[in-house]
Amino acid sequence: MEISAAPLIYLMIFAGVVALVQGLYLVAFGKSISMDSRVSRRLALMQKNGNREQVLEQLRKEMSQHMSSRGIPLYALLASKAQKANIAFSPKQLVGIMAAAAVFSYVAMMYGTSVADPVRGVVAVLMGVGGVYFWVNRLANKRMSLLEEQLADAVELMVRSLRVGHPFASAIGIVAKEVPDPLGTEFGLISDEAAYGRNVTESLKSFADRMDNQDLRFLAVAVTIQQQSGGNLAEILDGLAKVIRARYKLFRKVKAITAEAKWSGMFLSGFPLLALIAINMLDPTYYDGVKDSAAFVPAGIFVGIMLTLNVIYMKIMTNIEV
């Protein structure tokens, strides 16, 4: 029995594209962009540069460049994800990386597969765009998850700072120094903007809108109401911290309860594709008897459409909003 290695080659090329993008990112920006580092990116840049104003300008540019560049072809697909992931690459650099990844995929398939040039070109473009999108989406999900986990502790740290007599701007500065990324850099940016005259509530609202996070909107609204109407900000934020922590626990509980359904949906969606890959690997001539039939291409298109609808439907069924 002849075994085809082509599906494995495609998977290895896709994995190579993702590894290539990650490697370029680490080479370009070093460990300062790592979310696992105890020292936030802002503090690392200030230690390296020493100029607070230049660091602020660089961070503001990185944090606002993606959503303002959605008009670039293909970039609208990942602008929101890149914004949430706070990708330090500029939009033009990301598009260039997509093109380089597509060329890399094309050359790899040229030596590893025997498909026709038009098919190779289409698959190379899909791998270039898909590989970068997969990488950005993974970083965005990781960053948003860390942000949600850190937020309640950060608000409680602000409460303790306020109760010992620090002003709110200083409390934000303490969070920026004590909390690692992603909140460390984000609150450091807010602290720097406040030092240069921007209203703290405006910075908090901008942060909440950029991250599209409801708990951050609660924080911005609470601070805005306190500044306009007065009151004990420490008590307000203490209550907010309890609400954020309760919401986080609820979301995690729902995630645990629905984990089985989500994995079942992923399995049911992915099994036909895995079966197709296995058939092509174990018996490459399996479809030779019918591939010249007039109904083969329409049937293949119909199956592809049905598989796509299945993935969408299973995603809807297992995506429970709280």
Side-chain angles (χ1 to χ4, degrees):
M1 180 177 62
E2 182 183 358
I3 298 178
S4 173
L8 286 179
I9 292 174
Y10 290 127
L11 291 176
M12 291 175 62
I13 292 173
F14 184 81
V17 168
V18 177
L20 176 65
V21 177
Q22 179 67 19
L24 289 174
Y25 199 50
L26 291 174
V27 169
F29 300 102
K31 294 183 179 180
S32 67
I33 46 83
S34 174
M35 285 180 280
D36 299 326
S37 175
R38 175 61 189 172
V39 179
S40 68
R41 175 165 168 76
R42 169 179 168 270
L43 293 179
L45 290 176
M46 288 184 65
Q47 183 179 9
K48 179 180 179 180
N49 191 337
N51 191 318
R52 184 179 183 182
E53 186 175 353
Q54 290 183 0
V55 172
L56 174 61
E57 182 180 357
Q58 178 181 348
L59 291 176
R60 290 189 67 180
K61 180 181 178 181
E62 290 178 359
M63 293 177 179
S64 62
Q65 61 185 346
H66 299 289
M67 293 305 290
S68 60
S69 302
R70 286 176 291 181
I72 298 177
L74 295 178
Y75 198 72
L77 295 173
L78 52 78
S80 177
K81 293 291 185 180
Q83 189 74 37
K84 292 179 180 179
N86 193 32
I87 301 298
F89 281 134
S90 69
K92 292 183 179 179
Q93 288 173 334
L94 271 180
V95 174
I97 290 172
M98 286 183 190
V103 173
F104 169 81
S105 302
Y106 185 88
V107 173
M109 284 187 289
M110 185 183 299
Y111 289 99
T113 63
S114 58
V115 295
D117 287 342
V119 176
R120 187 182 296 136
V122 172
V123 174
V125 171
L126 291 176
M127 283 193 174
V129 176
V132 174
Y133 182 85
F134 175 83
W135 174 74
V136 171
N137 183 64
R138 183 170 58 86
L139 287 184
N141 291 337
K142 179 180 179 181
R143 190 169 188 267
M144 291 301 297
S145 178
L146 285 173
L147 187 147
E148 292 169 357
E149 184 177 351
Q150 292 176 322
L151 187 56
D153 292 335
V155 175
E156 288 178 349
L157 179 57
M158 285 191 286
V159 170
R160 292 194 293 270
S161 300
L162 291 171
R163 283 176 174 169
V164 298
H166 291 290
F168 183 61
S170 297
I172 291 179
I174 292 173
V175 172
K177 293 178 181 178
E178 298 296 331
V179 178
D181 278 342
L183 274 184
T185 294
E186 294 285 357
F187 274 84
L189 179 65
I190 294 172
S191 177
D192 290 342
E193 289 179 337
Y196 285 101
R198 188 179 185 186
N199 191 293
V200 175
T201 58
E202 292 181 3
S203 298
L204 285 172
K205 289 178 182 177
S206 176
F207 177 33
D209 292 338
R210 182 157 37 84
M211 293 293 102
D212 191 23
N213 183 277
Q214 192 63 38
D215 291 332
L216 288 173
R217 291 193 177 98
F218 289 157
L219 175 61
V221 170
V223 175
T224 302
I225 292 175
Q226 190 277 335
Q227 287 190 349
Q228 294 177 353
S229 304
N232 190 332
L233 182 58
E235 294 299 324
I236 295 173
L237 293 183
D238 184 47
L240 177 61
K242 294 177 181 178
V243 172
I244 293 174
R245 194 174 296 280
R247 279 168 52 85
Y248 179 76
K249 290 181 179 179
L250 176 62
F251 292 151
R252 290 297 178 180
K253 185 175 181 180
V254 171
K255 185 177 181 180
I257 293 173
T258 59
E260 182 180 356
K262 289 184 177 180
W263 278 103
S264 297
M266 292 173 60
F267 175 78
L268 292 174
S269 300
F271 179 77
L273 298 177
L274 294 176
L276 179 62
I277 293 173
I279 290 172
N280 285 329
M281 288 181 60
L282 298 175
D283 189 2
T285 63
Y286 184 81
Y287 296 104
D288 286 354
V290 295
K291 69 179 183 180
D292 294 328
S293 171
F296 182 74
V297 174
I301 294 174
F302 175 76
V303 171
I305 292 174
M306 294 302 294
L307 285 175
T308 303
L309 292 177
N310 172 72
V311 172
I312 295 173
Y313 182 75
M314 295 303 298
K315 181 70 174 177
I316 295 173
M317 289 290 291
T318 58
N319 186 22
I320 299 177
E321 298 289 343
V322 180

